[in-house]
Amino acid sequence: GPMGEDLFAQVCLDAKGVSRGEAFGTKLDGTCEADRPEAEKKNKKWKPTCDGENFPAYHPLMKPEDYMACLDATTNAFGY
């Protein structure tokens, strides 16, 4: 199948000689049960609200309107 964004980014970084490192805890990932709030552990459709915790990345935001809502919520909550 087609290359996903994670593999694409890794191939690009490898090609430029960027060293690898761990960055666990730098994103809020609704697809990962462990990252979901306790009451949402089994809800596979849960998406972050983007205004409760400050992360450099939120996932999954597959639709432009979801991304824009997250961007607005983050900007309003954290000022950037």
Side-chain angles (χ1 to χ4, degrees):
M3 182 185 295
E5 71 267 15
D6 295 347
L7 180 56
F8 177 79
Q10 189 60 62
V11 169
C12 290
L13 293 169
D14 289 346
K16 293 296 182 183
V18 177
S19 60
R20 294 182 181 207
E22 293 182 1
F24 298 107
T26 61
K27 67 177 173 35
L28 184 56
D29 191 343
T31 62
C32 178
E33 186 176 315
D35 283 355
R36 294 182 215 140
E38 196 61 41
E40 301 291 342
K41 293 288 186 198
K42 299 299 179 189
N43 180 1
K44 293 182 180 182
K45 294 184 178 187
W46 180 82
K47 293 179 191 171
T49 60
C50 306
D51 62 357
E53 297 180 76
N54 193 6
F55 287 94
Y58 299 91
H59 189 257
L61 302 169
M62 305 302 277
K63 297 178 182 174
E65 57 269 18
D66 291 340
Y67 171 83
M68 293 308 294
C70 182
L71 178 61
D72 289 344
T74 302
T75 303
N76 289 335
F78 305 107
Y80 47 83

